[in-house]
Amino acid sequence: MQNLEEKTLSEKTWFDGRVVKLVTAEVELPNGEKSSREIVKHPGAVAVIPLLETGEIILVEQFRKPLEKTIVEIPAGKMEPNEAKEITARRELEEETGYSCGDLEYLTSFYTAPGFSDELLHIYLARDLMKMKKPLAQDEDEFINLLSVSLEEAKQLIAEQVIYDAKTMYAIQFLELNKLKNEILDD
Amino acid sequence: MQNLEEKTLSEKTWFDGRVVKLVTAEVELPNGEKSSREIVKHPGAVAVIPLLETGEIILVEQFRKPLEKTIVEIPAGKMEPNEAKEITARRELEEETGYSCGDLEYLTSFYTAPGFSDELLHIYLARDLMKMKKPLAQDEDEFINLLSVSLEEAKQLIAEQVIYDAKTMYAIQFLELNKLKNEILDD
């Protein structure tokens, strides 16, 4: 198969913020022609599926300025420099929900938008949840409502476009798939 | 529950490119304090799961400059201005794979990275695939290798981090879930 690599000829930074950095790269294409690529650099993020013993999951309602609307998501947050992803997972779970967890299982990772960004998102399943008496404080510019929903309720929220983002819809599908697999194994 | 809305006080555009636009917004938080948000505006995109009668799916291998690596994805592309999403779906399928499709079923939509971008991705399932004699030309800066894989092979590619992005992993999980459901119904 043909080699698809694009060599960087030059780079220019247009914006370097708290969350993202925007860079354009002049590249040499596999056929020797030139083109330019727009790249949004991101430190990476971790999301957690907080699963209660009842089978319900804890979700966070949050205003997302890019969408100009409030949606409901699994807890998540961006990684701090040099932070191990399991540490980010435990920190974000506690900051956003007020719960800590005993069991934290790594599930998978994926790039959220590989066409223009290097954001890599890691997903964990958290069980043995414990309500903290004094949880870590939320970020001072972060405002959140908490809710607990069953798998059926979560699927209804997807139908209503209240749950509307990739990581949360992946997580709900993951739970549905695993419920079905376990039910098959249980028989 | 508390109102979480953030009112825009002012906006500044830092970059306005072919694919994305980067804007910062000064906002008033629900408690009256001020903060700033970084927003990557994107025209939206459509992805297609091309399902052959054999049960295999057609995937595209592509170099993704933001990741500095080649990954394997379901065919996808960004929407053109005022383009209906079904038209984008048929166009991208044909440009990237050389197949047209009879049956095109809308599955779902999600925001890929709501923390910093408004990119909304729509996903379709394409069946009745027909190899075109004269397919639409690929974009001139787009270089692609094609492959057809079974569901089991796709899951192996996920394990190897060759399939590594949200939409494709969602699509594979969707197929797995539906295969399991149908098998249950078949019994």
Side-chain angles (χ1 to χ4, degrees):
Chain A
M1 298 221 273
Q2 63 175 331
N3 175 22
L4 305 170
E5 196 174 334
E6 301 172 355
K7 210 185 302 177
T8 302
L9 303 172
S10 65
E11 260 197 7
K12 179 174 175 178
T13 298
W14 297 79
F15 176 79
D16 194 357
R18 276 192 308 158
V19 181
V20 297
K21 181 174 175 176
L22 194 136
V23 171
T24 50
E26 296 305 310
V27 298
E28 187 183 309
L29 300 171
N31 65 357
E33 298 291 315
K34 287 172 189 168
S35 188
S36 76
R37 299 296 180 204
E38 301 166 12
I39 302 164
V40 175
K41 299 198 176 185
H42 185 284
V46 175
V48 180
I49 309 173
L51 186 60
L52 294 164
E53 282 185 27
T54 58
E56 290 186 318
I57 53 172
I58 302 171
L59 298 175
V60 298
E61 184 188 40
Q62 211 173 346
F63 184 77
R64 289 303 203 174
K65 192 65 188 169
L67 321 182
E68 286 294 348
K69 65 183 158 198
T70 300
I71 60 171
V72 164
E73 300 166 61
I74 55 173
K78 69 175 203 292
M79 298 178 76
E80 300 297 334
N82 303 313
E83 190 178 44
K85 56 188 194 291
E86 180 168 332
I87 303 295
T88 314
R90 290 184 182 274
R91 181 173 52 73
E92 289 294 337
L93 176 67
E94 191 174 330
E95 283 179 9
E96 295 199 348
T97 70
Y99 279 84
S100 70
C101 69
D103 187 37
L104 186 68
E105 182 189 348
Y106 170 73
L107 296 181
T108 195
S109 305
F110 49 64
Y111 291 101
T112 54
F116 65 91
S117 176
D118 69 349
E119 187 196 25
L120 182 60
L121 180 86
H122 309 286
I123 302 187
Y124 283 86
L125 180 64
R127 281 175 290 199
D128 286 328
L129 298 175
M130 290 157 289
K131 186 92 192 149
M132 307 290 284
K133 281 189 185 146
K134 290 186 178 177
L136 294 172
Q138 287 178 12
D139 291 343
E140 59 182 21
D141 64 350
E142 203 168 48
F143 296 83
I144 282 171
N145 290 323
L146 285 181
L147 60 168
S148 301
V149 301
S150 67
L151 184 53
E152 286 311 308
E153 286 165 338
K155 285 166 69 178
Q156 183 57 35
L157 291 177
I158 289 174
E160 294 167 7
Q161 299 184 331
V162 173
I163 291 176
Y164 208 176
D165 76 304
K167 67 179 174 306
T168 309
M169 288 173 62
Y170 179 89
I172 303 303
Q173 205 179 48
F174 170 86
L175 292 174
E176 199 183 351
L177 180 60
N178 278 273
K179 193 177 169 205
L180 213 52
K181 278 185 182 168
N182 289 336
E183 277 175 4
I184 293 166
L185 294 175
D186 286 352
D187 287 344
Chain B
M1 297 222 274
Q2 63 175 331
N3 174 22
L4 305 169
E5 198 174 332
E6 299 173 355
K7 210 184 304 176
T8 302
L9 303 173
S10 65
E11 260 197 10
K12 179 174 175 179
T13 298
W14 296 80
F15 177 79
D16 192 359
R18 276 192 311 156
V19 181
V20 297
K21 180 174 175 177
L22 194 136
V23 170
T24 50
E26 296 304 310
V27 298
E28 187 182 308
L29 299 171
N31 65 359
E33 298 290 317
K34 288 172 187 166
S35 187
S36 76
R37 299 295 180 205
E38 301 166 11
I39 303 165
V40 176
K41 298 196 177 186
H42 186 283
V46 175
V48 181
I49 310 173
L51 186 60
L52 294 164
E53 281 184 27
T54 58
E56 289 186 320
I57 53 173
I58 303 172
L59 297 175
V60 298
E61 185 188 42
Q62 211 174 344
F63 184 77
R64 290 301 202 174
K65 191 66 189 168
L67 321 182
E68 287 294 348
K69 65 181 157 199
T70 300
I71 60 171
V72 165
E73 300 165 63
I74 54 173
K78 69 175 202 292
M79 298 177 77
E80 300 297 335
N82 304 313
E83 191 176 43
K85 55 188 194 290
E86 180 168 332
I87 303 295
T88 314
R90 290 185 183 274
R91 181 174 51 72
E92 288 294 337
L93 176 66
E94 191 174 330
E95 282 180 10
E96 295 199 348
T97 70
Y99 280 84
S100 69
C101 69
D103 186 37
L104 187 67
E105 182 189 348
Y106 171 73
L107 296 181
T108 196
S109 305
F110 50 64
Y111 290 102
T112 54
F116 64 91
S117 176
D118 68 351
E119 186 195 26
L120 182 61
L121 180 86
H122 309 287
I123 302 188
Y124 282 85
L125 180 65
R127 283 174 289 199
D128 285 327
L129 298 175
M130 290 157 291
K131 187 91 193 150
M132 307 292 284
K133 280 189 185 145
K134 291 186 178 176
L136 294 171
Q138 286 178 13
D139 291 343
E140 60 181 20
D141 64 350
E142 203 170 48
F143 296 82
I144 282 172
N145 290 324
L146 285 181
L147 59 168
S148 301
V149 302
S150 67
L151 185 53
E152 285 312 307
E153 287 165 339
K155 285 164 70 178
Q156 183 57 35
L157 291 178
I158 290 175
E160 292 167 7
Q161 299 184 332
V162 173
I163 292 176
Y164 207 176
D165 76 305
K167 66 178 174 310
T168 309
M169 288 172 63
Y170 179 89
I172 303 304
Q173 204 179 46
F174 170 86
L175 293 173
E176 199 183 352
L177 179 59
N178 280 273
K179 193 176 170 207
L180 213 53
K181 277 184 183 170
N182 290 336
E183 277 176 4
I184 293 166
L185 295 174
D186 286 350
D187 286 344

